[in-house]
Amino acid sequence: MHFRLSIFIFCIISVISYGQTKLSNKDRVDIQLLIKSISQNNGQVKEQFLNKLPIHKINNTYYLSLLGLINENFDQNGLIEKNWIAGKPIGEVATIKVPLSDLASLESSDEFDFLEIAPKVRNQLDKAIHDMHADSVQMGIGLPEGYTGKDVYI
């Protein structure tokens, strides 16, 4: 009897959890902390979240950038109706921006099999100069003089 009850409960839990979009535990915690912080600060986003997460202000609305593994239910127009910003899918991956006010509905979204917070993009041009050996050109190593690229038109 207990075995049958256990199987029944397992099946019910499987069916309920099957329809939810999956998030990593780290992303789930970050989103829950962000939602809690916003609710405690009268809708304001703390600087620590702006520095840590890819949050963008577009038309006076803050959005969180995510990457998603789409499924057969993906409907770009449906996301637009939700006020989400969806990029064109490449293969099975799409980028989306979700208003911070709508983060609680992420896990109930059926358009994605998996979502993750997009990595925060940082300027790395300083590193590119060294990687391309442009620093040698700027210093003039092996050249009559150094070149900086000033007054160069492309």
Side-chain angles (χ1 to χ4, degrees):
M1 179 69 175
H2 291 290
F3 179 72
R4 288 183 184 169
L5 181 61
S6 299
I7 295 294
F8 176 74
I9 291 172
F10 177 75
C11 290
I12 295 296
I13 291 172
S14 297
V15 168
I16 291 171
S17 65
Y18 179 73
Q20 294 183 338
T21 300
K22 293 166 184 63
L23 286 165
S24 72
N25 286 336
K26 180 190 174 304
D27 287 349
R28 183 175 288 111
V29 168
D30 284 343
I31 289 171
Q32 288 171 349
L33 289 173
L34 178 59
I35 291 170
K36 183 177 179 181
S37 173
I38 291 170
S39 68
Q40 291 176 344
N41 291 299
N42 300 322
Q44 299 298 315
V45 183
K46 283 188 171 181
E47 191 71 29
Q48 74 184 53
F49 290 106
L50 292 173
N51 292 332
K52 179 182 179 186
L53 300 174
I55 297 174
H56 307 280
K57 189 173 188 178
I58 303 170
N59 296 329
N60 293 322
T61 302
Y62 283 102
Y63 291 84
L64 177 65
S65 295
L66 298 130
L67 298 172
L69 183 63
I70 64 173
N71 59 31
E72 65 278 352
N73 298 325
F74 182 77
D75 177 22
Q76 194 166 6
N77 293 328
L79 295 177
I80 291 170
E81 289 174 8
K82 291 182 186 182
N83 199 25
W84 294 15
I85 300 171
K88 184 177 179 187
I90 299 175
E92 295 181 349
V93 177
T95 59
I96 59 169
K97 289 182 176 39
V98 179
L100 298 187
S101 60
D102 201 21
L103 287 177
S105 68
L106 270 179
E107 290 192 71
S108 63
S109 169
D110 65 346
E111 291 94 351
F112 300 94
D113 288 332
F114 186 81
L115 284 171
E116 72 178 27
I117 296 174
K120 188 159 174 118
V121 178
R122 291 187 168 78
N123 187 348
Q124 295 186 351
L125 290 177
D126 297 350
K127 185 178 179 210
I129 290 172
H130 179 72
D131 290 347
M132 293 177 51
H133 301 288
D135 54 342
S136 302
V137 174
Q138 287 181 346
M139 290 186 280
I141 298 174
L143 301 169
E145 64 180 280
Y147 296 95
T148 63
K150 184 178 179 189
D151 298 325
V152 173
Y153 297 102
I154 299 174

